[in-house]
Amino acid sequence: NAKTYTSSSWVAYLNHYLPLLHKEIHINIQKSQAQQQKYYNRNSKTKESFLERDMVLKIKIKDQWKFSEPKFSGPWKVVRITNEEKTAFLLEDASPESRKRKHKAKKTTTANI
């Protein structure tokens, strides 16, 4: 009960159904990519952007974490952005203790995001 086609009828059949299949496949790919993008973006973080004079907290190195102390140090003031991508910064200590030390040099550090 198998269908047989002549070469010309098979070409006509393919010319008719291949564009329909192509559209359906394209729609399925778009749906799949949208679903994958949704799953990917759900857990991705937004990129932070900081400007000079912004006040920030700096996370401590994991080896320095103690149960009774905070994981962050600061506040720090962004003194300068040190690269074109705006992901590296020179920070200056802006804590109340450092403001009391007017005669001493200000404490600085660097940070990357």
Side-chain angles (χ1 to χ4, degrees):
N1 229 6
K3 282 189 174 181
T4 57
Y5 293 97
T6 64
S7 58
S8 61
S9 64
W10 182 247
V11 169
Y13 174 83
L14 289 177
N15 284 336
H16 176 69
Y17 284 105
L18 282 179
L20 298 175
L21 286 173
H22 181 72
K23 285 181 187 175
E24 199 172 314
I25 289 168
H26 187 68
I27 290 169
N28 285 341
I29 288 172
Q30 285 179 329
K31 285 181 187 176
S32 182
Q33 286 177 339
Q35 185 69 24
Q36 291 169 9
Q37 183 180 26
K38 185 177 100 177
Y39 285 132
Y40 176 82
N41 290 339
R42 183 174 20 179
N43 294 325
S44 66
K45 295 179 180 180
T46 58
K47 184 179 175 186
E48 297 290 335
S49 62
F50 300 104
L51 302 173
E52 290 182 6
R53 295 187 302 277
D54 280 354
M55 301 296 280
V56 297
L57 293 176
K58 182 179 173 189
I59 193 164
K60 292 180 182 177
I61 299 170
K62 203 164 191 163
D63 295 342
Q64 296 176 354
W65 290 3
K66 295 181 182 173
F67 180 74
S68 61
E69 295 180 14
K71 295 179 184 178
F72 300 94
S73 68
W76 296 87
K77 182 171 75 172
V78 177
V79 176
R80 186 178 62 212
I81 300 168
T82 58
N83 67 352
E84 291 179 17
E85 295 84 22
K86 297 185 178 183
T87 58
F89 307 93
L90 177 66
L91 304 176
E92 182 179 88
D93 190 7
S95 63
E97 297 85 32
S98 74
R99 282 187 238 137
K100 291 177 186 174
R101 295 183 257 133
K102 293 188 180 187
H103 63 283
K104 293 186 179 179
K106 299 222 178 195
K107 191 162 87 172
T108 60
T109 186
T110 57
N112 298 318
I113 56 170

